[in-house]
Every structure is written in structure tokens, then in C-alpha cells.
Amino acid sequence: MHMQSPPVNSLSLDFLTELCISLEKLEMDKGCRGLIITSVLSNQPKVFSAGLDILEMYGKSPEHCGEFWKVVQEMWLKFYGSNMGSSPAGGCLLSLTCDYRIMADNPRYTIGLNETQLGIVAPFWFKETMVNTVGHRNTEVALQLGLLYKPAEALKIGLVDQLVPEDQVFTVASQTMTKWLTIPGNVSVITTKSTLNLLFSFQLWCFNLV
Ligand SMILES: CCCCCCCCC/C=C/C(=O)SCCNC(=O)CCNC(=O)[C@H](O)C(C)(C)COP(=O)(O)OP(=O)(O)OC[C@H]1O[C@@H](n2cnc3c(N)ncnc32)[C@H](O)[C@@H]1OP(=O)(O)O
């Protein structure tokens, strides 16, 4: 799936809605066993996603905010596999929801949950996804300081799984996907993934009841 929402693939209500509809279609497609998500911005090849669209959070009605927030959670519940350049905040979450992250090895790119730098708080399910990926201590430091990591640092703490030269990102992602798809059948993989996410999904469901 190629993301192409100029200038920086920010996650607006419209963009996220389209993303979720596309994912639902792929889920229903029995021939689809994996997804590689990448950015193909012609003017900004270095940005994976700038995160939530800041303009969606300012001066909007409570109804609009509720709708926006719901679709952000939908996105979190659905994702599979990714490759990328810069990924701040919601862009980082988008990649954290994937099974495997391949980042272009260019020190100009950064990834992380930088919400505190913006004076906002990363929701608990952003935080939990980060804890599940890099552990509690790394998350504690990363979230409180709102750190954005360069590729080598991100690899060191396990925030990304692999660094590759910029022009090889998609080739390596395809090779990696082929390897993951050698696991026979879909059911064992899907069940394992659901088991890993079960408690977390339940927590989010409870949170939405409150
Ligand atoms: C409801 C409940 C609430 C609940 C509230 C709780 C929410 C908590 C969770 C929050 C999660 C988030 O994701 S909050 C969003 C956090 N995102 C960020 O901090 C990213 C900020 N952006 C960047 O760091 C950079 O733009 C980056 C992506 C690396 C690209 O840098 P570049 O130098 O290449 O490009 P720039 O010149 O900066 O940006 C190009 C244009 O894109 C715009 N732009 C950049 N990021 C944008 C963004 N996130 N949303 C909109 N527009 C953005 C800029 O304003 C520019 O617009 P023009 O000037 O018009 O050209």
C-alpha cells in the first residue's frame, strides 16, 4: 500500500478513513496474506508519515474529534507490516502497529513518540504499543523526553527491526514479507497475533466504555 497524501502523509480524518476502508477490503480478500505499507510522496520521499494531522485537533467540534479519535483507534487495531523514513508521533504509532519495521538508513530521518515535545500526552495505547516493542525503561525515557531517534539509535533499542540503504527499502521489505509468508497457512499466524494483542485490545475496549 502506497501512502500518498501530500505534503507529509499526515493522518487526517479523510486519509485515515480511506486507509481503514482499504484495509478492510484487503482483510476480506482471501488472496491477501500480508501488507507492506510505504510512502510514495513525490515531493517528500523522506517522510513516512508526519503523524496525526494537527489541524484535525484544533478548533473542531467534539463530534468531529470523537469521529477522528475512533478512526485513529481503528488504524491501530488493523496494521501488519511497514517500511519508512521519518515517522514522528502518530507516524511512529502507524509503524509500531506493524509486525516488522524496515527503516531507510539515513541519519536525517527520525522516529519516535514526540508528543510531550508538543505539549500533548501520548494516549495509553500509544504508550503500551511502545512498551510492547522496546520495553518499559526505554519507553519511560522516550515518552517523557519526547525523543525522536535517528535510525541507528532506533535499531539499538528495537524500535525498528532493520536498517537498509534508502534505495533498497522496498526490495528488502518484499524479501522479508516472502520469508514471513513461508509460515504455512494463515490461521496459526492470525491466532498467535490475536493472542499477543488480546489483553491490549480488551483494555482499549474498556477504555472506550468509560
Ligand atoms: C481529537 C482528539 C485529540 C487528542 C489529542 C491527543 C493526541 C495525542 C497523540 C498525538 C499524535 C500525533 O501524531 S501529533 C502530530 C505530531 N507530528 C509531528 O510533530 C510532526 C511535525 N512535522 C515534522 O516533524 C516535519 O514536518 C516532518 C514530518 C519531519 C517533515 O519535515 P519537512 O521539513 O520535510 O517538512 P515541513 O516543511 O516541516 O512540513 C511540510 C508541510 O507539512 C505540514 N505538516 C507537517 N506535519 C504536519 C502534521 N502532523 N499535521 C498537519 N500538517 C503537517 C507543515 O505545516 C508544512 O505545511 P506548509 O507550511 O503549509 O507547507
Side-chain angles (χ1 to χ4, degrees):
M1 184 182 285
H2 300 301
M3 293 194 294
Q4 191 171 23
S5 181
V8 287
N9 284 333
S10 64
L11 305 171
S12 65
L13 179 56
D14 285 348
F15 183 56
L16 280 173
T17 304
E18 201 177 322
L19 201 56
C20 289
I21 291 171
S22 303
L23 289 172
E24 259 166 38
K25 283 188 189 153
L26 288 174
E27 265 182 351
M28 284 187 287
D29 178 352
K30 297 232 177 330
C32 175
R33 293 184 55 209
L35 170 69
I36 297 170
I37 180 166
T38 188
S39 161
V40 289
L41 292 170
S42 53
N43 57 336
Q44 279 278 21
K46 62 182 196 267
V47 177
F48 176 66
S49 165
L52 303 192
D53 193 312
I54 290 163
L55 301 175
E56 293 283 2
M57 300 185 242
Y58 179 73
K60 294 287 185 339
S61 67
E63 292 75 24
H64 183 95
C65 288
E67 210 183 328
F68 180 55
W69 211 225
K70 198 165 153 245
V71 77
V72 175
Q73 294 185 352
E74 281 285 309
M75 165 202 74
W76 170 79
L77 286 169
K78 284 189 189 310
F79 256 102
Y80 309 80
S82 85
N83 63 61
M84 64 221 177
S86 278
S87 314
C92 176
L93 178 77
L94 188 61
S95 66
L96 283 174
T97 59
C98 299
D99 297 316
Y100 199 81
R101 284 163 288 283
I102 298 167
M103 189 170 191
D105 193 5
N106 182 330
R108 282 186 302 140
Y109 302 164
T110 56
I111 179 169
L113 295 177
N114 60 325
E115 279 79 357
T116 48
Q117 292 276 6
L118 310 173
I120 50 182
V121 178
F124 88 86
W125 41 284
F126 279 49
K127 182 262 298 175
E128 282 300 316
T129 313
M130 183 84 161
V131 170
N132 288 345
T133 308
V134 302
H136 193 272
R137 180 59 187 151
N138 283 325
T139 304
E140 201 169 44
V141 176
L143 262 67
Q144 290 191 69
L145 297 177
L147 296 181
L148 287 170
Y149 295 89
K150 290 185 186 304
E153 301 160 341
L155 182 69
K156 195 171 165 199
I157 65 165
L159 188 52
V160 297
D161 297 295
Q162 195 173 349
L163 302 182
V164 298
E166 199 152 358
D167 58 351
Q168 288 171 31
V169 173
F170 192 74
T171 310
V172 174
S174 301
Q175 288 164 351
T176 307
M177 180 64 86
T178 305
K179 188 168 127 195
W180 280 62
L181 293 182
T182 57
I183 305 296
N186 247 358
V187 178
S188 56
V189 176
I190 291 170
T191 309
T192 303
K193 194 169 161 67
S194 308
T195 311
L196 287 166
N197 285 334
L198 194 62
L199 177 62
F200 196 5
S201 302
F202 180 66
Q203 285 174 325
L204 186 57
W205 180 75
C206 294
F207 180 74
N208 283 330
L209 290 180
V210 179

